[in-house]
Amino acid sequence: MDTEFKPNIVGFLCNWCSYAGADLAGSSKMEIEPSLSVIRVMCSSRINSNLVLSSLLWGADGVLVAGCHPGDCHYERGNYYARRRFALLKKILEVLDLEPDRLQLSWISASEGKRYSEVVNTFAEHISQAGPNSLAHNPKV
Amino acid sequence: MVNGDVKREETPMNSAQDMKNRNSLKGKIVLVDGENRKTIIDLMKQLLEKKCLDAILVPSQVPDTDSYTWLLVQEGSLLDLCDPLPPVMTVQGGKALSSLTKHGEMEANIGALMRPCEIEAVVELHKLKQIDLDHIILFSIDCPGTVPLSDYMRDPQKMAENFKESIKKWGESESLRPICQICDRFSLFPFAPSSPKSSLSQGGADLPASDIHIGLLGGNDEKIFLWPVTQRGKDLLKKLDLSVHDNLEVWESKVEEVREEKLKKRTAFHDEWSTKIKGVDNFAAIFDECINCHNCMEACPVCYCQQCYFDSQLLTLTPEAYLERAQKRGSLRFPLDTLLFHIGRMSHMALSCVSCGACEDACPMSIPVAQVFTAVGDQVQDYFKYVPGREKEESPPLQIFLEDEFGDVETPGDGLETSHGEAKENV
Ligand code: SF4
Ligand code: SF4
Ligand code: SF4
Ligand code: FES
């Protein structure tokens, strides 16, 4: 693959688990792929599908949505709703063949600094392999 | 499931076997006096006269014109202009009814006579708490389809003729809207209690949503079939002294026959459209002429937001941001974010799309919006095992969940350890 390609990944992290996990990864000086721009949201259920879609259509090469593990959401059920919305959006992108693999949903708890770095690094690697997002370069989009 | 592999006919609840195993439905066969339309109007008049209903919402012709509209009728004599099956769908019935019940509860009992896809939209809006069905009695009717609104406006007389012809051939007409030609839910069906479609919902039987269904198929303009679906429906017919012990088999088997034909067409439609919508170039090409007027969204009964995301300022960026996007692509297309609008709208309501065609009728650029939304809608509904418009008591699929589901969309990354005991296995 093109070694010059530096992916541009957007990460929506929930405040109570995944953002704290990211914080832990940072303060533990773990190696984290720098291509991820983090956006902190109060809960994974705050993420309207349009936020993910506009990221993807406006130029992100990948979008990561991360929240608390099932059962652990600070608002009890937010991540379950988020998962359904995510599943719907991903299915639509699949049906339309619009780069569904550029979306990822992961559960990362506040104590999982290591897991955070692994999720991000693996996803970044996957996106680097996939190359630039064709949607972001299509003049019709 | 392979994309595009939508096979509604294979859902066990509708299989021929189920149809055979079940006892035939009971209802009332009414002899037609003159024409179907008049017989139905007489029935509605009786309901008003006997105070079974305080008012009834019906499609009506606007006096001395070729236009159709909805009328909330309290005075029986005004029902003469009612047309239970107008040749066009001007305003989707769900939309009309929701403006009536948007604010507050009602004391009065109101009837509403609509096509099946309109009833389905009503049910979706009821689930979203935008229609209160407590005091509303729904009447559905076998529907042959409608002609495209724009064709009708161009030549009302001719299209009204074509529509009449299409009733005779029951839906087999090129003049009808493409979405009606593939409509397999033109009538009401009894469904087996254990439908897998409701396995993700709160359980319970799949019951058609209206209270009384008016069957026309198989009646040859000599009789119509009244099927009281709910207890409320039965009570109402009782008040009219109509006994409901007639066997409705004739209607049922005719419906099944037509339905099989329609299902074949729907499958062919999916074969064609699943590739037409695939890939950014194909998908964008469909919307090449889109002027981003949002009419499709305005006309759609199940686009439920009071304030639409796409009408808000959230999508307005600085000039620099647009320049940056233009630079990335070489050029930037205006109106902006057309695809974002359509895909974003889909990601909100595709699970509730009832394939009614209102969006397509409303599009000034003749874009096949309803066909696109149906092509996607059927697939995502299948994925969620959700049938919109059925089961009033069911919750909308985005407002419920199971703790253990959709495991395959969680991607912790290959071979990643999770330190969390509760976390699910990645499939
Ligand atoms: S889609 Fe067409 S045929 Fe089906 S119920 Fe609606 S108007 Fe009738
Ligand atoms: S998207 Fe179109 S076909 Fe689907 S419910 Fe809305 S108006 Fe009807
Ligand atoms: S009605 Fe037609 S032109 Fe207007 S936004 Fe919808 S698809 Fe585009
Ligand atoms: S607070 Fe973390 S997912 Fe809801």
Side-chain angles (χ1 to χ4, degrees):
Chain A
M1 206 54 231
D2 187 355
T3 43
E4 291 301 297
F5 172 56
K6 287 260 174 294
N8 183 0
I9 302 177
V10 178
F12 294 98
L13 312 185
C14 96
N15 179 58
W16 302 99
C17 288
S18 306
Y19 190 83
D23 218 24
L24 181 63
S27 56
S28 321
K29 305 233 173 340
M30 288 175 185
E31 212 163 285
I32 304 163
E33 172 56 41
S35 55
L36 184 86
S37 315
V38 171
I39 298 175
R40 171 156 60 158
V41 292
M42 286 315 280
C43 174
S44 60
S45 64
R46 164 65 183 85
I47 300 159
N48 188 318
S49 52
N50 285 329
L51 293 174
V52 177
L53 255 183
S54 45
S55 307
L56 207 59
L57 296 182
W58 291 353
D61 297 303
V63 182
L64 171 69
V65 172
C68 315
H69 284 274
D72 288 350
C73 170
H74 189 72
Y75 308 96
E76 285 177 37
R77 297 182 281 186
N79 46 6
Y80 292 120
Y81 296 121
R83 181 171 60 193
R84 281 211 159 195
R85 287 183 216 153
F86 186 89
L88 172 59
L89 178 61
K90 191 156 177 155
K91 183 74 193 175
I92 290 175
L93 294 184
E94 227 172 272
V95 168
L96 300 178
D97 203 6
L98 297 180
E99 315 257 350
D101 293 338
R102 292 180 185 277
L103 299 191
Q104 175 157 326
L105 173 70
S106 296
W107 308 130
I108 303 166
S109 80
S111 60
E112 293 177 320
K114 179 151 176 287
R115 182 175 152 79
Y116 175 80
S117 69
E118 283 170 354
V119 164
V120 172
N121 293 346
T122 316
F123 186 47
E125 173 60 30
H126 164 73
I127 296 296
S128 300
Q129 302 254 318
N133 174 6
S134 68
L135 303 174
H137 296 274
N138 193 310
K140 279 191 173 181
V141 176
Chain B
M1 189 187 95
V2 185
N3 286 343
D5 189 14
V6 178
K7 292 204 186 84
R8 283 204 195 184
E9 73 267 41
E10 275 183 14
T11 56
M13 59 178 174
N14 305 329
S15 71
Q17 200 53 38
D18 275 3
M19 291 295 289
K20 282 198 197 91
N21 288 345
R22 167 177 75 62
N23 293 330
S24 81
L25 298 170
K26 297 278 185 254
K28 175 71 192 170
I29 299 180
V30 180
L31 295 181
V32 168
D33 170 20
E35 44 166 1
N36 286 346
R37 190 181 84 96
K38 189 166 165 294
T39 310
I40 296 168
I41 291 176
D42 283 347
L43 203 73
M44 300 294 150
K45 280 187 179 167
Q46 284 182 50
L47 287 168
L48 286 179
E49 270 159 26
K50 300 206 169 152
K51 303 268 181 267
C52 303
L53 296 172
D54 296 300
I56 180 160
L57 186 70
V58 288
S60 280
Q61 192 158 14
V62 180
D64 307 318
T65 72
D66 298 314
S67 319
Y68 288 86
T69 183
W70 289 94
L71 278 188
L72 182 64
V73 180
Q74 282 190 291
E75 167 60 50
S77 62
L78 292 173
L79 278 171
D80 289 331
L81 284 170
C82 160
D83 190 343
L85 284 178
V88 281
M89 182 187 288
T90 44
V91 171
Q92 222 271 8
K95 201 116 192 148
L97 194 60
S98 78
S99 34
L100 176 68
T101 62
K102 217 169 231 165
H103 291 292
E105 291 161 24
M106 283 188 299
E107 286 304 316
N109 287 317
I110 303 219
L113 169 61
M114 295 179 179
R115 302 177 125 97
C117 63
E118 294 176 306
I119 300 267
E120 288 173 6
V122 166
V123 171
E124 287 305 286
L125 289 169
H126 169 73
K127 293 177 191 169
L128 292 158
K129 305 213 169 12
Q130 295 196 10
I131 286 182
D132 177 6
L133 281 179
D134 271 359
H135 292 272
I136 291 173
I137 312 276
L138 295 174
F139 297 82
S140 53
I141 183 165
D142 282 355
C143 172
T146 73
V147 299
L149 197 51
S150 53
D151 291 0
Y152 183 79
M153 295 311 284
R154 229 170 282 132
D155 193 344
Q157 263 101 36
K158 178 165 160 262
M159 290 317 286
E161 272 311 309
N162 289 356
F163 177 68
K164 276 212 188 94
E165 280 301 306
S166 79
I167 296 189
K168 281 188 206 138
K169 291 182 278 177
W170 205 268
E172 289 292 315
S173 164
E174 298 284 303
S175 319
L176 295 175
R177 300 183 305 171
I179 206 73
C180 294
Q181 295 184 32
I182 58 157
C183 174
D184 58 323
R185 279 146 70 174
F186 56 90
S187 183
L188 245 62
F189 279 85
F191 298 99
S194 58
S195 146
K197 288 261 179 190
S198 52
S199 64
L200 280 182
S201 68
Q202 302 91 327
D206 271 304
L207 275 179
S210 80
D211 292 294
I212 294 180
H213 182 75
I214 304 173
L216 304 178
L217 275 158
N220 295 327
D221 293 334
E222 287 156 9
K223 18 183 184 181
I224 60 174
F225 305 88
L226 299 181
W227 173 32
V229 186
T230 62
Q231 192 55 43
R232 288 203 297 189
K234 282 196 187 101
D235 294 344
L236 217 56
L237 292 186
K238 207 184 258 163
K239 284 190 197 159
L240 295 185
D241 296 323
L242 295 176
S243 70
V244 289
H245 303 297
D246 296 341
N247 202 322
L248 301 183
E249 221 169 2
V250 177
W251 167 69
E252 280 182 77
S253 57
K254 187 72 192 166
V255 168
E256 190 50 29
E257 191 185 301
V258 174
R259 186 162 185 269
E260 257 162 38
E261 280 309 304
K262 294 282 193 171
L263 275 168
K264 274 187 210 140
K265 288 195 174 160
R266 204 168 184 104
T267 306
F269 165 88
H270 280 295
D271 288 345
E272 183 190 344
W273 276 86
S274 60
T275 44
K276 268 200 204 171
I277 52 177
K278 258 202 184 353
V280 63
D281 291 321
N282 284 338
F283 190 71
I286 298 173
F287 293 99
D288 266 346
E289 268 105 46
C290 174
I291 55 173
N292 219 352
C293 64
H294 294 189
N295 277 5
C296 45
M297 175 267 278
E298 290 292 344
C300 174
V302 298
C303 246
Y304 49 82
C305 294
Q306 308 283 345
Q307 159 80 62
C308 175
Y309 185 92
F310 299 101
D311 285 339
S312 72
Q313 294 303 305
L314 289 168
L315 294 176
T316 317
L317 306 182
T318 60
E320 289 75 27
Y322 290 126
L323 283 172
E324 198 185 304
R325 274 167 68 190
Q327 195 184 21
K328 224 174 177 166
R329 287 154 223 258
S331 66
L332 185 61
R333 184 175 189 267
F334 288 76
L336 287 155
D337 297 320
T338 305
L339 290 197
L340 178 61
F341 166 63
H342 291 292
I343 306 170
R345 186 167 98 80
M346 246 171 219
S347 73
H348 288 168
M349 50 56 68
L351 286 170
S352 291
C353 172
V354 295
S355 298
C356 68
C359 49
E360 201 161 310
D361 264 343
C363 177
M365 304 306 289
S366 305
I367 292 165
V369 205
Q371 295 173 73
V372 173
F373 274 66
T374 295
V376 177
D378 276 5
Q379 292 201 45
V380 297
Q381 289 163 19
D382 202 69
Y383 180 55
F384 271 75
K385 308 250 180 300
Y386 179 72
V387 183
R390 212 161 279 161
E391 270 290 323
K392 281 177 251 203
E393 304 316 323
E394 200 175 45
S395 296
L398 294 181
Q399 290 179 21
I400 48 167
F401 60 83
L402 296 178
E403 283 179 15
D404 192 9
E405 62 174 3
F406 294 114
D408 53 338
V409 302
E410 293 163 31
T411 38
D414 287 350
L416 285 189
E417 295 267 314
T418 161
S419 61
H420 195 282
E422 303 275 279
K424 292 152 29 98
E425 287 287 303
N426 184 33
V427 183

